[in-house]
Amino acid sequence: MYNKEIADKIEKLLSENQNKLFRIKEIAGLIKTGKHQYRLLKDTLAAMAAEGRIIRQDKMFSGKKTIHKSRKLKTASKPKAPGGKMIEGWFDAGSLARDHSFAFVISGEGDIFVDVEDTLNAFHKDKVLVETRYRRGKRMYGTVVKILERARKQIVGDIQKAGGNWILQPDDPKIHRTFRVLDPNGLEERKKAVLEVTDWGDRVKSRTPAGKITEILGESGSPEIEILAVIRRFDLPMSFPDAVIEQVEAITEDFSDIAHRQDFRNLPTITIDPASAKDYDDAISLVNTPGGWRLCVHIADVAHYVPIGSPVYIEAAMRGNSFYFPRRVIPMLPEKLSNRMCSLRPQEDKMTVTVVTDFDSDGRILKQQAFESVINSDARLTYEEVDELFDGREIDLSGDLCDMILEMRKLSRVLSKNRDEKGCLYFDLPEVEFVYDAEGYLKKLERSSETESHKVIENFMLIANEHVAEILTKAAKKTMYRIHEDPEEDAVRRVLSLIKVYGFKAKFHKNLNKTLQNVLSGIENKDFHRVFDRMILRSLKKAKYTIEHKGHFGLAIKTYTHFTSPIRRLCDLVVHHQLKQHVFTTAGGNFRQKEIERLANVASEREILADESEREVNRVSKLQFMKKHVGDEYEGIIIAVNRTNIIIELDDMPVIGVVPVTQLQGNFRLYEEYMRLIDENSGRSLKLMDRMKVRLERVTDDIYFTILE
């Protein structure tokens, strides 16, 4: 947005200082613009530069006279390379959001550097056409010449008034510009709203992007509204279509024709889930055998109620998975199915698919089979209750079921030992637990921890998933796998080299699984885990769904899929249908290879969307919580450093914030290979795992600390 009053002040300042370059923050201070006008100042500077009234050089501004000369010299010294090639890619505005004067276009031919003046009116994740101009070293430079596809049509943010104009400040920090609100009658500040974009703006003509408010979500800062805003921002489905509701209302539970199913209703059976869970899609039974154990993993037979091609199936295939937020779930299936008919609730007959595995006393598999089945769970337990039993405390459960659970722990420990020998990786990365008060406001942030009860369920589900992947590999021409490709060896070596710098001996093994496993299991210091588990995980590739038969590196399993959560994951639902088609032969038809491939892509894409939206809800929730604690003092450790920031994680709660390097007293230089900052004047060093006492300085789009000396 262009502001004439600010522009006049800028022009006066720069014309009086023709031989000086100014950063945006310096200009803001000298012409005395308030914090609420900072975005307006940036937009005005960009518009003036586009008009040629001032010139931008790197991240700084000055009058035309001086910079014309410097630009000419700079251009003359640029190495030339053939330009003019047209490349399609995705616009990445992350650097613009951090107040840099450039952006990138991510393409199959590499990342292309684009100056802010050459970005046209592209926004984050837009599909764009770039014309390459030249190459310097390995980096390509180019200009955005066309917007091929907008990533979004609606923007979610806060309504504000600035300089007599109504604007929408986007919630997404990577949407780097504000939007002018058209027809602002009746608007109020501090409201969260949805804006439909009608004009994406024109940087050259200094035209600010604009749109119309289509929905007021509620009061900014309200926990419910902040989560709703993220849901709307990611365009997640808020309701089910009428055809889906009609189909679900017509579904009834009918157990009259179960003669072909294995009847496990008399087998002692339990479910173990989080206390907040409402959809129980897995149950377990365990009996002792003369030479070991017989484990039964029972999974809800969702495919029985959701035929291929039905409205519910089509909707599930679009959603891809359920989305889990604090105190709110967007389910893949309607509640009647997910929480009632398919959920393995205690004391109710339920149709299931069961994997039966016979083990010897060393945990070696003797025999495995899969059946369509029917069960009746005896009890619904939480992880906390099972851990209490493991700790020797009494729980409200019959002695026989308690004995069965203790036997489950014995088998699980044997299976863990076997997985260790294969090279399975375990990361110590606690998740965030949000604790709310009676009025729904966040009152505490805690770190979750994986306990032995979680490990029991994980081990048993892995057994079932692996077996189903193996039988479908033989029975079906194509199936869907969950794969985790081997990491790049160079990426692993870089992390291990850094670990050695910090005094931990990390021996490189020919087997990468063993290499990383030895490092992870050998770390005893908790601060080491807080820093290096995250780094090691980031050095690995991301797991995904595919029809390619590849192994799962992290689990050290050659043939693997997801089968055990059909209520909340698309892959599992597809796999259940394939079992019915190729193994149980209780369903006609067959998936074409292209359809399985398409569904695998959908499952992977929607999983990424779920991860991104859930991370964003966590980020927004943390920001809202920490705003109440500005001025408070904390202790934490340095978990990363870069040229601009020191990243600190607090000890008392799972909160990560930054300390700008410019805030430090001294001349600090980054030594990236050691990941430490060293003051070249005094020799003072700031490195990973250094303990810091900090004060919470401010909370904006990030959490900012000040180091207390």
Side-chain angles (χ1 to χ4, degrees):
M1 182 180 295
Y2 175 84
N3 183 282
K4 186 177 184 305
E5 183 181 351
I6 291 177
D8 290 343
K9 291 181 180 179
I10 292 170
E11 198 160 42
K12 185 174 185 296
L13 170 69
L14 298 186
S15 64
E16 291 175 353
N17 296 273
Q18 282 287 345
N19 296 316
K20 189 172 180 181
L21 293 166
F22 293 92
R23 296 185 182 277
I24 294 179
K25 289 181 180 178
E26 291 177 302
I27 294 173
L30 290 168
I31 68 173
K32 298 180 180 179
T33 56
K35 288 184 179 179
H36 66 285
Q37 292 183 301
Y38 192 69
R39 176 78 67 169
L40 195 61
L41 171 64
K42 289 175 63 179
D43 288 349
T44 301
L45 282 163
M48 293 175 72
E51 290 175 353
R53 292 169 61 186
I54 62 174
I55 298 296
R56 179 195 294 264
Q57 182 180 18
D58 296 326
K59 303 174 186 177
M60 307 180 82
F61 294 87
S62 186
K64 292 176 65 176
K65 180 180 176 183
T66 302
I67 301 303
H68 274 312
K69 188 181 291 183
S70 64
R71 268 204 159 194
K72 187 174 182 181
L73 291 170
K74 187 176 179 181
T75 303
S77 63
K78 281 181 182 176
K80 296 289 184 179
K85 185 177 181 180
M86 296 295 183
I87 299 175
E88 292 185 7
W90 303 97
F91 191 74
D92 184 347
S95 52
L96 293 178
R98 296 192 298 273
D99 199 28
H100 297 313
S101 60
F102 57 86
F104 292 94
V105 172
I106 313 303
S107 77
E109 300 186 37
D111 296 352
I112 303 168
F113 184 97
V114 182
D115 283 316
V116 65
E117 293 87 356
D118 300 323
T119 58
L120 203 58
N121 59 359
F123 284 82
H124 191 60
K125 289 189 177 179
D126 285 350
K127 187 177 181 181
V128 299
L129 185 66
V130 181
E131 181 179 11
T132 60
R133 294 164 49 215
Y134 59 90
R135 183 187 292 273
R136 179 187 293 154
K138 294 182 179 180
R139 175 175 286 178
M140 286 188 290
Y141 291 74
T143 300
V144 176
V145 295
K146 188 176 182 180
I147 310 300
L148 300 175
E149 182 182 327
R150 291 291 180 186
R152 60 191 62 76
K153 296 179 180 178
Q154 295 182 327
I155 305 293
V156 179
D158 291 334
I159 296 174
Q160 299 175 1
K161 201 169 185 180
N165 296 311
W166 287 92
I167 64 171
L168 183 115
Q169 178 68 53
D171 281 353
D172 187 344
K174 291 187 178 180
I175 303 299
H176 60 286
R177 300 190 69 185
T178 58
F179 286 74
R180 183 165 55 92
V181 177
L182 305 175
D183 191 19
N185 294 332
L187 294 183
E188 298 177 38
E189 288 195 273
R190 294 183 294 278
K191 294 289 186 182
K192 191 75 67 178
V194 180
L195 178 140
E196 182 179 346
V197 182
T198 58
D199 183 351
W200 290 97
D202 188 322
R203 186 177 292 277
V204 175
K205 296 179 180 179
S206 302
R207 193 173 74 240
T208 303
K212 297 180 179 179
I213 300 297
T214 58
E215 184 180 1
I216 302 294
L217 300 179
E219 197 74 26
S220 295
S222 163
E224 294 280 346
I225 299 304
E226 292 296 335
I227 292 176
L228 177 60
V230 174
I231 291 171
R232 294 305 306 273
R233 183 167 16 129
F234 283 87
D235 197 23
L236 303 182
M238 298 287 290
S239 60
F240 287 95
D242 291 342
V244 172
I245 300 302
E246 290 173 10
Q247 180 192 344
V248 171
E249 287 178 350
I251 297 175
T252 59
E253 290 183 286
D254 183 5
F255 292 89
S256 61
D257 184 22
I258 59 171
H260 71 282
R261 290 179 178 263
Q262 291 288 320
D263 193 341
F264 293 112
R265 284 177 287 188
N266 292 325
L267 192 65
T269 302
I270 60 170
T271 62
I272 305 175
D273 291 281
S276 59
K278 296 178 181 178
D279 52 347
Y280 320 134
D281 47 17
D282 58 89
I284 48 178
S285 308
L286 187 71
V287 294
N288 290 91
T289 61
W293 300 274
R294 171 168 289 173
L295 170 69
C296 297
V297 176
H298 314 284
I299 306 300
D301 191 355
V302 176
H304 174 79
Y305 297 101
V306 185
I308 296 172
S310 67
V312 177
Y313 174 85
I314 293 170
E315 182 69 12
M318 183 278 292
R319 294 186 176 216
N321 45 241
S322 296
F323 297 82
Y324 292 90
F325 305 114
R327 304 189 307 134
R328 183 166 190 161
V329 177
I330 298 178
M332 186 177 79
L333 302 173
E335 186 175 328
K336 182 179 177 181
L337 290 175
S338 61
N339 292 2
R340 289 170 52 200
M341 295 181 71
C342 295
S343 185
L344 306 183
R345 304 194 300 182
Q347 310 304 322
E348 295 180 11
D349 288 353
K350 295 292 180 181
M351 294 187 188
T352 49
V353 177
T354 299
V355 173
V356 180
T357 307
D358 289 335
F359 298 94
D360 66 13
S361 58
D362 293 322
R364 289 189 292 261
I365 295 174
L366 303 175
K367 183 181 179 182
Q368 281 186 292
Q369 281 184 283
F371 303 96
E372 287 184 303
S373 55
V374 58
I375 69 164
N376 190 300
S377 175
D378 294 278
R380 185 259 169 167
L381 299 174
T382 66
Y383 288 117
E384 290 80 6
E385 288 176 302
V386 175
D387 286 321
E388 286 178 11
L389 179 64
F390 289 166
D391 290 339
R393 288 175 280 175
E394 291 186 6
I395 63 173
D396 185 16
L397 197 65
S398 71
D400 289 344
L401 289 178
C402 287
D403 290 342
M404 182 180 74
I405 294 171
L406 293 174
E407 281 297 315
M408 289 177 177
R409 177 167 64 169
K410 290 181 183 178
L411 173 59
S412 177
R413 287 178 173 178
V414 172
L415 295 177
S416 289
K417 179 175 176 293
N418 293 344
R419 289 176 64 196
D420 287 345
E421 291 174 355
K422 291 179 180 179
C424 181
L425 304 181
Y426 299 96
F427 291 93
D428 184 5
L429 292 170
E431 295 185 355
V432 184
E433 284 189 6
F434 297 93
V435 182
Y436 294 87
D437 62 21
E439 296 180 356
Y441 284 87
L442 186 59
K443 69 175 184 179
K444 191 188 299 184
L445 296 171
E446 295 181 342
R447 289 181 176 89
S448 67
S449 58
E450 186 180 79
T451 62
E452 192 164 15
S453 62
H454 292 83
K455 187 63 65 180
V456 168
I457 296 300
E458 180 184 356
N459 281 330
F460 293 172
M461 297 306 114
L462 288 173
I463 290 293
N465 284 333
E466 186 175 8
H467 175 61
V468 168
E470 289 171 346
I471 60 178
L472 282 179
T473 298
K474 296 175 183 177
K477 288 184 179 179
K478 289 292 178 181
T479 189
M480 197 184 302
Y481 297 99
R482 177 68 168 178
I483 71 166
H484 186 212
E485 296 175 282
D486 290 356
E488 299 293 338
E489 191 172 305
D490 286 348
V492 175
R493 285 188 182 277
R494 282 195 295 271
V495 176
L496 296 187
S497 296
L498 183 61
I499 290 174
K500 287 180 180 178
V501 168
Y502 282 85
F504 186 86
K505 294 181 180 179
K507 186 177 180 181
F508 204 90
H509 195 281
K510 288 183 179 179
N511 183 315
L512 281 180
N513 287 80
K514 287 292 185 182
T515 299
L516 296 178
Q517 187 188 68
N518 290 341
V519 172
L520 292 168
S521 61
I523 294 175
E524 296 181 357
N525 185 303
K526 288 186 177 181
D527 287 349
F528 259 79
H529 275 295
R530 288 169 64 182
V531 173
F532 291 111
D533 281 38
R534 189 180 284 109
M535 284 190 188
I536 291 172
L537 184 61
R538 287 176 178 170
S539 75
L540 306 182
K541 296 179 180 179
K542 182 174 174 56
K544 64 181 180 180
Y545 298 103
T546 179
I547 62 172
E548 298 179 69
H549 186 187
K550 296 182 178 180
H552 195 293
F553 175 81
L555 297 175
I557 295 177
K558 293 180 179 179
T559 304
Y560 190 68
T561 193
H562 275 164
F563 152 77
T564 54
S565 295
I567 290 176
R568 62 184 180 89
R569 288 192 305 226
L570 175 60
C571 173
D572 306 55
L573 179 57
V574 171
V575 164
H576 275 244
H577 275 296
Q578 285 203 291
L579 284 173
K580 290 181 180 294
Q581 293 166 353
H582 300 291
V583 180
F584 308 140
T585 62
T586 54
N590 191 6
F591 285 108
R592 293 183 178 180
Q593 177 177 327
K594 286 187 177 179
E595 178 63 5
I596 298 178
E597 187 173 6
R598 184 188 74 81
L599 292 170
N601 289 334
V602 170
S604 292
E605 290 168 2
R606 300 301 283 183
E607 179 186 40
I608 292 171
L609 183 65
D611 289 344
E612 289 179 349
S613 59
E614 289 164 16
R615 276 198 303 270
E616 183 61 11
V617 166
N618 288 356
R619 186 187 76 86
V620 169
S621 298
K622 286 180 181 179
L623 291 179
Q624 291 296 323
F625 178 77
M626 295 304 288
K627 282 179 181 178
K628 304 172 186 176
H629 296 275
V630 172
D632 289 359
E633 296 181 2
Y634 302 94
E635 290 187 358
I637 63 169
I638 297 177
I639 62 169
V641 295
N642 55 45
R643 285 182 174 81
T644 56
N645 290 309
I646 301 165
I647 295 88
I648 293 177
E649 182 183 53
L650 302 184
D651 291 336
D652 293 339
M653 54 182 147
V655 169
I656 294 173
V658 301
V659 176
V661 173
T662 54
Q663 186 190 99
L664 303 176
Q665 297 295 321
N667 180 26
F668 281 88
R669 177 182 173 188
L670 175 68
Y671 290 81
E672 198 166 356
E673 64 271 32
Y674 309 121
M675 200 163 281
R676 67 180 65 189
L677 290 160
I678 298 177
D679 182 358
E680 301 202 321
N681 297 332
S682 67
R684 180 191 176 194
S685 171
L686 293 170
K687 61 186 185 302
L688 301 180
M689 294 178 294
D690 277 354
R691 303 210 67 79
M692 294 280 130
K693 188 171 183 180
V694 296
R695 180 175 58 247
L696 180 57
E697 196 66 30
R698 69 184 190 278
V699 180
T700 52
D701 60 334
D702 210 336
I703 296 168
Y704 293 91
F705 297 123
T706 296
I707 295 175
L708 301 177
E709 301 294 343

